[in-house]
Amino acid sequence: MSDPISFFEIPSRDFRRAVDFYQRVFQVELAVAECETEKMAFFSGGPDKVPWGAISYGEGFLPSADGVLIHLKVPDIDATLEAIEKNGGTVVCPKTKIECEGMGSFALFRDCEGNRLGLHSLE
């Protein structure tokens, strides 16, 4: 497998708050789809704009501090951690150099919904 991640979903309790958080922190516009009691806001990119992940709201989508850990690629971890704290998230683990040569750095944070996620940069 060259790229093992097909799609991810970040659960939310307060959908609008979560969408605003991710749009502000990562400076992206998320496409929102609402269908009765379920809502999704899609992360997408590239020329074909295929979604590769979403913020999800609906029955069974419960934010968790101990669930799956996803690392999001960012150009500047320090600036991203600052934006996270400014927008209602918290830093769990500050920027830390990965000891393997050439692997960059990582950090962990909790989003505004309480989910634990990671950041990764080759910086």
Side-chain angles (χ1 to χ4, degrees):
M1 286 189 285
S2 62
D3 188 359
I5 297 175
S6 175
F7 194 78
F8 65 83
E9 293 182 69
I10 301 171
S12 66
R13 283 190 183 91
D14 183 329
F15 182 72
R16 187 75 252 160
R17 177 181 65 191
V19 170
D20 290 345
F21 175 86
Y22 282 93
Q23 288 185 143
R24 283 191 219 118
V25 168
F26 295 102
Q27 299 176 10
V28 296
E29 186 69 31
L30 303 179
V32 174
E34 298 186 32
C35 182
E36 297 179 18
T37 60
E38 294 184 5
K39 302 175 187 177
M40 295 181 93
F42 297 99
F43 294 90
S44 61
D48 54 5
K49 300 291 183 190
V50 173
W52 44 268
I55 297 165
S56 298
Y57 173 86
E59 187 176 333
F61 288 99
L62 302 173
S64 171
D66 302 313
V68 174
L69 181 58
I70 300 165
H71 289 262
L72 304 172
K73 225 183 289 185
V74 297
D76 183 339
I77 289 177
D78 293 320
T80 304
L81 290 174
E82 186 177 317
I84 286 166
E85 289 185 312
K86 181 179 176 184
N87 288 285
T90 57
V91 176
V92 174
C93 174
K95 180 179 173 182
T96 304
K97 183 180 180 338
I98 299 170
E99 294 303 318
C100 295
E101 185 64 35
M103 293 301 293
S105 300
F106 77 96
L108 301 177
F109 71 97
R110 290 201 198 287
D111 69 7
C112 61
E113 299 294 290
N115 296 298
R116 181 179 59 124
L117 291 101
L119 301 174
H120 177 255
S121 175
L122 292 176
E123 66 177 5

